[in-house]
Amino acid sequence: RFYEKVQALHQDPKASVDNPLLAFSLIKRLHSDWPNVIYSDEATENTQALHAGFKEVEQELPGAEDLDGAARALMRLQDVYSLSVKGMANGVFQRAGAGRPPLYSPGRRVSLSADDCFHVGKVAYDTGDYYHSIAWLEEAVGLFRRSYGSWNPEDRSSLEDALDHLAFSYFMAGNISHALSLSREFLHYDPSNRRVARNVAKYEKLLETGTAGGRWAWWRGRGPPPQCCPSPHTLLGPFSPQLAPEHLPHLSCSYETNGSPYLLLQPAKKEMVRIRPYVALYHDFISDAEAETIKGLAGPWLQRSVVASGEKQQKAEYRISKSAWLKDTADPVVRALEQRIAAVTGLDLRPPYAEYLQVVNYGLGGHYEPHFDHATSRKSPLYRMKSGNRIATVMIYVSVPPSSISRPRAWSSVGFRVNSNAALFWWNLRRNGDGDGDTLHAGCPVLAGDKWVANKWIHEHGQEFR
């Protein structure tokens, strides 16, 4: 009520001081009315209730690790899809360079604030990644300059903070003159800061003596990180060249029963997409209802995915996803899926000849850098099952991001669009049991929405006569 009263009185600010009665009431409000409201019993009770309510949900809220991970995800999308930082800050997912159509057009365009851009730049800055910190802090400085003097209670940073971090980033990148001009701008807003004043003196001396250029040495050759792969649904590898599909008679589509009674009434829709390595794509492998059931079963058990590291398993930055394992006893849908995989592949999936179904969720910027599914060392945890190496992989696309996202052309010699409910099958090992180096593959960062896949890894033992 008090706020509404003040708002009404300040509709014409000049009138508030012209009228002696309004001038008196203004002075009284500033001296006593506001403190009375701020320190009233009601305000204290409201604050306590607010704190108590926050404490109740605090454990469920994202932590610092989640926030920093989200910032790194934005930088990952920036690199892999060559996105413009200025465009991202304005809510546009557009490749750097003029006149290019956006890769993704969200239904609702949301811009980032100066404080948002500062946080992304600060995450890069704290890890010594000055390539990214410069791009994001430049955007933060520009936005802070435009809004300088207006107070935003949600901001934890300021123009001075952004200038300070950006100046040092440029210094570390070897651009001393720009670091100097930014530091001088900082001192314009905060003349008493001795640390920045010392930096200004240091930068001036470096420029005078001509020793600034040496700092470029570490930066040389360090442009943006290399692109992983252009599509989140592409199998990659150092393949030997393959002829165009029209010149490959073995690349075809067919209805397959694989000699299994299970597939007689509903054959599998098989498309051969690669001969070496052998890669088959099965369309409509699962139904929409089965996909929803799998996501529902896995959802409560999702945990950060781990990778094999020597004899242990651990989290890694090159695999950002959450996963859960489902036994065939978890639900009739999982059991039916296992039977379908066995029928299509002709392989034995009974324990311990195959691993449980792994369901993986890739969220904001979720990705998996190029890797092999099979173990490349006898010390790998995969050998604990005592059923040999992973001979084959079945990857089911439970749901993929919206098809409205336009994707760049694949760099690898195999590239194809995979829709939800499809499945990929490939052999990980050659006939002599050695790992097939051509099965290197990756999951690129998710640009919009999220991606769900289910992996079935089948081992060597039990397949000798199949």
Side-chain angles (χ1 to χ4, degrees):
R1 287 198 305 273
F2 183 72
Y3 173 75
E4 288 171 357
K5 172 185 167 185
V6 170
Q7 196 174 36
L9 288 166
H10 281 274
Q11 285 179 349
D12 184 359
K14 194 170 184 298
S16 300
V17 289
D18 284 349
N19 185 329
L21 298 177
L22 290 176
F24 167 77
S25 62
L26 171 63
I27 294 168
K28 179 177 177 293
R29 280 199 305 279
L30 294 174
H31 175 70
S32 59
D33 292 4
W34 270 115
N36 287 344
V37 170
I38 299 301
Y39 297 110
S40 67
D41 293 340
E42 291 84 359
T44 304
E45 289 169 11
N46 288 342
T47 303
Q48 289 172 346
L50 185 66
H51 289 176
F54 180 75
K55 286 289 180 187
E56 286 179 15
V57 299
E58 192 172 12
Q59 295 303 315
E60 301 170 27
L61 298 175
E65 183 184 4
D66 300 304
L67 182 57
D68 291 354
R72 282 191 287 271
L74 292 182
M75 290 184 266
R76 197 177 303 125
L77 294 175
Q78 171 198 346
D79 293 337
V80 173
Y81 299 108
S82 304
L83 297 176
S84 156
V85 171
K86 184 172 285 296
M88 292 175 77
N90 289 325
V92 179
F93 295 84
Q94 195 163 16
R95 282 176 172 271
R100 299 193 178 186
L103 288 179
Y104 163 59
S105 299
R108 180 170 171 243
R109 188 164 144 185
V110 179
S111 302
L112 295 179
S113 70
D115 193 64
D116 295 336
C117 294
F118 174 81
H119 187 86
V120 178
K122 179 75 162 51
V123 169
Y125 176 93
D126 288 342
T127 56
D129 177 6
Y130 301 112
Y131 167 78
H132 285 108
S133 72
I134 286 174
W136 286 94
L137 290 172
E138 278 280 13
E139 197 58 34
V141 165
L143 291 170
F144 272 128
R145 280 176 181 148
R146 270 175 258 166
S147 62
Y148 192 76
S150 60
W151 179 65
N152 184 351
E154 295 170 6
D155 286 354
R156 298 182 67 180
S157 56
S158 63
L159 174 58
E160 290 90 331
D161 292 325
L163 287 168
D164 193 12
H165 287 81
L166 182 59
F168 190 76
S169 296
Y170 270 114
F171 167 68
M172 291 302 292
N175 193 337
I176 310 298
S177 59
H178 200 47
L180 176 60
S181 65
L182 290 166
S183 299
R184 283 172 175 165
E185 184 181 351
F186 178 99
L187 290 177
H188 173 73
Y189 298 108
D190 185 5
S192 61
N193 192 299
R194 293 182 179 178
R195 178 180 56 80
V196 176
R198 286 196 297 271
N199 285 348
V200 166
K202 179 180 179 180
Y203 299 155
E204 289 174 339
K205 187 174 181 181
L206 285 171
L207 289 169
E208 284 172 15
T209 57
T211 56
R215 296 202 60 83
W216 274 103
W218 78 274
W219 182 263
R220 210 164 282 127
R222 285 184 55 165
Q227 292 192 5
C228 145
C229 56
S231 164
H233 318 303
T234 303
L235 193 72
L236 296 181
F239 302 133
S240 53
Q242 176 161 291
L243 295 172
E246 58 268 22
H247 300 299
L248 288 168
H250 301 298
L251 289 187
S252 59
C253 295
S254 59
Y255 286 104
E256 292 286 327
T257 62
N258 203 29
S260 168
Y262 189 85
L263 297 173
L264 280 176
L265 293 179
Q266 190 176 7
K269 301 174 183 176
K270 179 181 177 182
E271 177 186 350
M272 281 300 303
V273 294
R274 187 79 200 184
I275 303 300
R276 289 194 195 90
Y278 177 97
V279 182
L281 175 64
Y282 293 92
H283 296 268
D284 302 321
F285 193 74
I286 59 172
S287 67
D288 289 340
E290 288 174 325
E292 291 304 314
T293 300
I294 290 168
K295 289 195 286 185
L297 291 169
W301 303 101
L302 288 175
Q303 291 186 341
R304 174 73 186 270
S305 300
V306 294
V307 295
S309 176
E311 298 180 31
K312 299 178 181 178
Q313 291 187 319
Q314 62 184 31
K315 298 176 185 176
E317 276 300 305
Y318 61 82
R319 186 184 191 186
I320 305 292
S321 62
K322 290 191 172 186
S323 57
W325 299 85
L326 298 179
K327 297 183 180 180
D328 63 352
T329 54
D331 191 272
V333 165
V334 182
R335 195 176 303 115
L337 192 56
E338 300 256 337
Q339 290 176 328
R340 199 173 306 148
I341 294 172
V344 163
T345 61
L347 300 175
D348 192 340
L349 269 59
R350 294 173 301 172
Y353 303 143
E355 298 172 42
Y356 296 134
L357 187 72
Q358 187 199 48
V359 182
V360 189
N361 173 241
Y362 295 88
L364 168 62
H367 75 132
Y368 198 169
E369 289 185 8
H371 65 282
F372 297 108
D373 282 357
H374 60 271
T376 54
S377 164
R378 293 293 302 184
K379 294 181 179 180
S380 169
L382 293 179
Y383 283 103
R384 288 181 196 152
M385 290 180 68
K386 302 194 183 302
S387 54
N389 208 342
R390 288 173 173 168
I391 192 172
T393 293
V394 176
M395 178 184 282
I396 303 163
Y397 290 88
V398 180
S399 70
V400 295
S403 58
S404 58
I405 303 171
S406 61
R407 300 183 181 91
R409 181 174 301 190
W411 283 6
S412 64
S413 54
V414 58
F416 45 88
R417 179 75 59 86
V418 178
N419 296 317
S420 296
N421 302 355
L424 275 178
F425 172 82
W426 69 87
W427 298 106
N428 292 306
L429 307 181
R430 301 188 186 278
R431 289 179 178 274
N432 63 359
D434 291 342
D436 188 343
D438 285 348
T439 61
L440 189 74
H441 60 286
C444 265
V446 175
L447 183 60
D450 64 347
K451 179 176 70 171
W452 290 79
V453 298
N455 300 307
K456 190 69 179 177
W457 286 304
I458 305 162
H459 284 242
E460 293 175 277
H461 297 182
Q463 320 305 337
E464 291 84 353
F465 301 104
R466 292 170 178 261

